[in-house]
Amino acid sequence: MEVVTTVRSGRRPILSLADLSAEDIAELGEIAFRYGQAPQLFEERLTGTRVGLVFTAPSTRTRTSFWSAAMTLGCDVLHLGRADLQVSTGETWSDTGAMLANYLDIVVARTNGPQHELVELASQVPATINALTYHEHPTQAIADLCALREHFGKTEDLRLAYLGEVNNTARSLALLVSTLPFKRLDVYSPAGTGFTAEEIQSLNAIRGGEAVRQHHHVPDSPDPVDAVYTTRWQSMGEPRKEPDWLSQFAPFAVTKELMDRFSGSTEAVFMHDLPAVRDQEATSDVLDGKGTTSLVARQAFHKASAAAAALLWSMETS
């Protein structure tokens, strides 16, 4: 199996899936899937490329997977935490980016803040990759795409259900489903924690039709899906302020019984972006695939696949 590398001119950012065309996202997914099947075929593809991993918040999977992918591709990697950057003392992301642009080819940034911070950084560093903002987590969606394709052999016409608060992962997942030819995404969230009507309208305008639907309770017999997805109820580990929040979210916990309810003629698989609070948003048996099929381990594995695709695509090398 030979990987053909095409080099174009220029560099480009990955800030939000909303900025990318269906063709762009499909290309990212294809590169990621090929990398996941045979990473050794991509060795040294970006030899000498200088990559800065700018992580201002904790990260286990995303930071490690970007490091792993960058090393396989032959990049030189610099790690920068919040304490290493003057943004911690009040410097703007734009000014920080202007300095980093002198020395780095790609900046992979987890700001854990609003999207505009990443946009400011990218205004100075053309090849800026979103490794998570408060609003979106695009490389997670590419990893999810790989895990689904690997399991089902395709992603066309797949039906997904997402349970819990709409957060960065949910937004990227919804953009993925709305842009590529999935069947639909049903979102089940406590009142006040889901997509707004305007967001649903915007998502469904991408391809037309009803790709994303918002619900505020889980019926006894929901429309069957191929995959059930959930994330931490306390997004990015931040404590919730509502005193009764746990009771509001409890009906959305993913159990074996709930997985059975969502399964149609075939068994629904389970997905989680991790980290998980075990036996809160999902029971341990579901997370670990005991009595049901869990794609969680493969999602985590394909974080490196998505990272490699993002690095290659940002340098316009595929």
Side-chain angles (χ1 to χ4, degrees), residues 31-32 35 42 46 65-66 69-70 73 303-313:
I31 299 168
Y35 182 93
F42 289 80
L46 291 179
S65 61
F66 264 102
L73 295 171
K303 296 279 283 185
S305 307
L311 293 167
L312 288 161
W313 194 88

Side-chain angles (χ1 to χ4, degrees), residues 15-18 115 130-138 167-169 171-172 175:
L15 307 182
S16 166
L17 294 187
Q115 191 77 4
N130 183 353
L132 184 145
T133 63
Y134 185 80
H135 185 78
E136 199 177 332
H137 197 357
N167 56 15
N168 40 37
T169 292
R171 292 188 187 95
S172 292
L175 284 165

Side-chain angles (χ1 to χ4, degrees), residues 295-313:
L295 299 189
V296 173
R298 298 308 292 173
Q299 289 174 267
F301 171 85
H302 282 298
K303 296 279 283 185
S305 307
L311 293 167
L312 288 161
W313 194 88

